[in-house]
Amino acid sequence: MSDKSHDPNQMTGAAMIVRALIDHGVTDIFGYPGGAVLPIYDEIFQQSEVQHILVRHEQGAGHAAEGYARSTGKPGVALVTSGPGATNMVTPLTDALMDSIPLVCISGQVPTHLIGNDAFQECDTVGITRPCTKHNWLVRDVNDLAKVLHEAFYVATSGRPGPVLVDVPKDVQFATGTYHPPRKSDVHRSYAPRVKGDAAQIRKAVALLANAKRPVIYSGGGVINSGPEATKLLRELVEVTGFPITSTLMGLGAYPASGKNWLGMLGMHGTYEANMTMHDCDVMLCVGARFDDRITGRVDAFSPGSKKIHIDIDPSSINKNIRVDVPIIGDCGNVLGDILQVFKAEAKKPDIKAWWQQIAQWRARNSLYYRKSNDVILPQHAIQSLFEATRGKDTYITTEVGQHQMWAAQFFGFEEPHRWMTSGGLGTMGYGLPAAVGVQVAHPDSLVIDIAGDASVQMTMQEMSTAVQYELPIKIFILNNQYMGMVRQWQQLLHGNRLSHSYSEALPDFVKLAEAYGGVGIQVHKPGDLDGAIQEMISVKRPVLFDCRVAALENCFPMIPSGKAHNEMLLPEQANDEATAKAFAGGKALV
Amino acid sequence: MNQPASAYFIEERHDPNETHTLSVLVQNEPGVLARVIGLFSGRGYNIESLTVSETESQKHLSRITIVTTGTPMVIVQIKHQLDRMIPVYRVVDMTLTKRSIERELAMVKVRGQGEHRVEALRLADAFRARVIDATTESFVFEITGNTDKINQFIDLMRPLGLVEVSRTGVAAIGRGPEGM
Ligand SMILES: Cc1ncc(C[n+]2csc(CCOP(=O)(O)OP(=O)(O)O)c2C)c(N)n1
Ligand SMILES: [Mg+2]
């Protein structure tokens, strides 16, 4: 028998968790303590390599970890207790699953011998989170813990990234076992995401691209997830081919908004030129996007005349909603590299002058037009002013969900990836404030702004307290229209303007609220005061709640109405009452 | 087109359904069956039959056979969705290989006397069903075969005093020397 007492790899499960975090390069985690994770918190207390950020609600920990992950490209880590701690993580886990965000959640569980007994703060965490994680584990033996933790990091960050959860019973945290550093054999042999695209498919794709008359590149969050190389290659491909490019909500920033080939975002609230280009193109190159229903509109009328190339690391994304002609399974960066290489060797820039002329006509429709006012701040104008004021600054934007989110996507120009954090797939109100906390932790000296709505921001407002505690100078820029604006807009357009429960009654005084938390409150009503107030917000090095009072009944346009195709968008200048009623006919239109 | 008041595209597409048998090789670990079943219920896929058992105990491998129905696009989705689960090694569409053998086993209890009893025995013989339990007023038959054969046998037993049936669901394997 060997003497194990001096073996440095002998340690408790709780110590293994902290050690594994360090071995995976984790410097910051977001969490909330409770009975079933006290041994882990004890370990955290006795070291200084991993900084723990105490949130005010576990959902906040999850979204903060998401913001951290999306702004750094590294996995975000959350630590929660059993029962309610774990159930409070369900929303962020689902959010991260929908948006392919690498997230590692460690949850405490009641001791193994109590599992299944309805013990205090017991819940079936792996059962509850199975459909909202990429994979999850319940660790029953301390000697499995190191392997599972390493595999968890690998699964979260490789292939199509996503959230994972490791559930660790309290007795396993106390038990002593053998730790080992990460190694290849920690991972299931059955898990081997495909990275390299098929060479024959890549040739087919290049042949289509080289002969295109009316091409478009449609990129998504996959390009950003793939890393800086993919972004670089995407930009190079646009340069080499001269093709127009649009992107999903999740993909903003992969191609710079100031780039000359940029069409703006596509989809339900995308630009006219982006959606018309998609509709009329003859070759579509989809890179790391998934033909979501907010993108396609009516599927049987989606880009009817085009040959479609689809690059995705997840085979299940291919042919799910839209049938494509040339699927390429692989990592965006890798496949783009191969496409570029073949294109440069064998093809030359296609002549698409006529196509650009057509696009110029669509652009001239100026689909993001809105009528400015001297009396009341238009929300679009507020975003534009914010954008102008932050130009050239090291800025990160998060959002909540609603009209303000769409206006932010339309009017804030992103030049770089990882600068735009929004809940796309799940559309989680309450995402933006805690996400901003996470972003600011990762980038302490940057300007981090949550573009918020008056309703959304109240869902996770408590994280203001976290921001104050850790001196995170996040800016919460509330487009306060005193409505759940997006809900009100749908009710107006689709439900006879019966505004059922969409008015934000009894709103708090956001200035006083900010002060109550120990932050700074700013309120603006007049367009003339806006720029000065934004400057003040930026210069304050403390958390700010910015109550920007905007026009209450402004609608978000352009918009693809119900059951309509991309070429049947409703543009702002047409959106008078009569046209709107007609476009949405089928609804009991009183608009 | 009559679209209700929604910004979603609600009209469904109606491609014809197909039935496929899928063999899925998985790591035999806690929760793996729950993952597979959860995928089917969560995404609204059909399960006509599902069987599972460990097939290689040293390697901790189990084989799941699933019979499912859906449009061709949905069937492809199901395969990809299964394939991307972490503990899944391989998914083979046995229906597409066109070289698979499918069998299930049923135990069929029939109660009756006189002519009915004699007739049940005679039919069992014709279907190569074995008697595995008998009393003076009942039989339990064991029958293996493909799903159609078993359905047919059960239909024939119904008027002869069918009491109950227990079926294993379909197991499938490819013909020829190669494994999956
Ligand atoms: C957690 C959650 N609940 C409900 C919804 C549905 N929803 C989408 S937008 C919205 C209104 C958002 O209002 P606000 O935050 O004020 O933003 P606005 O649209 O006014 O800009 C609601 C209720 C949601 N997306 N998330
Ligand atoms: Mg609002």
Side-chain angles (χ1 to χ4, degrees), chain A residues 130 135-136 155 160 188-191 268 293-294 298-299 314-316 319-320 323 490 494-495 562 587, chain B residues 1 3-9 13 15 27 29 31 34-35 59 73 77 80-81 84 86-89:
Chain A
R130 200 173 282 130
H135 198 68
N136 62 10
V155 169
R160 179 175 180 176
H188 274 80
R189 280 190 304 118
S190 48
Y191 176 64
M268 179 174 278
D293 58 82
R294 302 284 99 160
R298 186 175 157 176
V299 279
D314 180 359
S316 76
N319 289 336
K320 181 163 65 181
R323 227 176 258 288
W490 282 39
L494 301 159
H495 294 274
S562 48
Chain B
M1 184 185 130
Q3 166 83 16
S6 168
Y8 291 94
F9 178 65
R13 290 209 287 179
D15 291 346
Q27 190 77 36
E29 61 186 24
R35 283 181 209 285
K59 291 192 202 154
M73 220 155 145
Q77 259 299 298
H80 286 320
Q81 292 289 351
R84 75 183 189 141
I86 308 296
V88 169
Y89 280 89

Side-chain angles (χ1 to χ4, degrees), chain A residues 251-329:
Chain A
L252 296 177
Y255 184 80
S258 63
K260 65 181 193 318
N261 294 29
W262 178 238
L263 302 175
M265 181 175 77
L266 81 163
M268 179 174 278
H269 293 293
T271 66
Y272 186 65
E273 53 270 36
N275 285 329
M276 289 303 285
T277 304
M278 289 289 282
H279 186 268
D280 282 7
C281 68
D282 67 346
V283 174
M284 177 188 300
L285 174 64
C286 168
V287 196
R290 58 188 177 90
F291 297 97
D292 167 83
D293 58 82
R294 302 284 99 160
I295 294 302
T296 59
R298 186 175 157 176
V299 279
D300 56 0
F302 174 73
S303 193
S306 62
K307 293 272 187 222
K308 299 174 187 75
I309 305 161
H310 186 185
I311 306 171
D312 205 299
I313 198 156
D314 180 359
S316 76
S317 289
I318 288 175
N319 289 336
K320 181 163 65 181
N321 306 324
I322 298 290
R323 227 176 258 288
V324 299
D325 302 278
V326 184
I328 306 176
I329 295 160

Side-chain angles (χ1 to χ4, degrees), chain A residues 453-455 479 481-485:
Chain A
D454 48 284
L479 290 185
N481 52 12
Q482 303 182 57
Y483 275 101
M484 297 172 192

